Amino acid sequence: MVNLEEVLELVKKGYTNPKEIAKTLNLAVEEVEGMMRILESLGYIERVKLGSSLCRSCPLRKLCSGECIHFRGQIYLIFKKEVSK
């Protein structure tokens, strides 16, 4: 059974959306989305808000040419908080 720590580890490795994580862990996307909502509510990850301020909050803004691809999913970033065991 997959736990929150496994999902968090994939986010740390650069997996950015629930579909990627679900495929990697062989889970339903809805299951991963639920786990990510829990991690977000606990303060371990933060959802990147899409909209007019997208470029200011984008972690790739320093590498970007300024022409955004409009992603219609959700991207998450990791905080520097460690999981308690």
Side-chain angles (χ1 to χ4, degrees):
M1 179 164 179
V2 175
N3 62 37
L4 293 174
E5 288 180 12
E6 291 175 275
V7 173
L8 187 58
E9 282 303 313
L10 287 177
V11 175
K12 285 180 182 179
K13 290 178 181 177
Y15 288 76
T16 58
N17 68 58
K19 285 183 182 180
E20 281 184 305
I21 294 170
K23 185 176 179 180
T24 302
L25 297 175
N26 198 30
L27 296 172
V29 174
E30 296 79 13
E31 195 172 353
V32 172
E33 288 172 338
M35 293 172 134
M36 292 182 90
R37 281 192 298 274
I38 292 168
L39 289 168
E40 184 179 18
S41 72
L42 294 171
Y44 290 105
I45 60 175
E46 178 183 9
R47 186 179 346 183
V48 175
K49 308 288 190 260
L50 300 179
S52 62
S53 64
L54 176 61
C55 290
R56 285 191 306 251
S57 64
C58 180
L60 301 176
R61 69 183 173 277
K62 293 179 182 176
L63 305 172
C64 181
S65 65
E67 296 176 356
C68 293
I69 297 171
H70 295 284
F71 178 72
R72 297 188 184 271
Q74 296 174 350
I75 300 173
Y76 290 84
L77 298 175
I78 191 78
F79 279 130
K80 297 292 182 193
K81 186 176 178 179
E82 295 297 320
V83 177
S84 302
K85 293 187 180 190

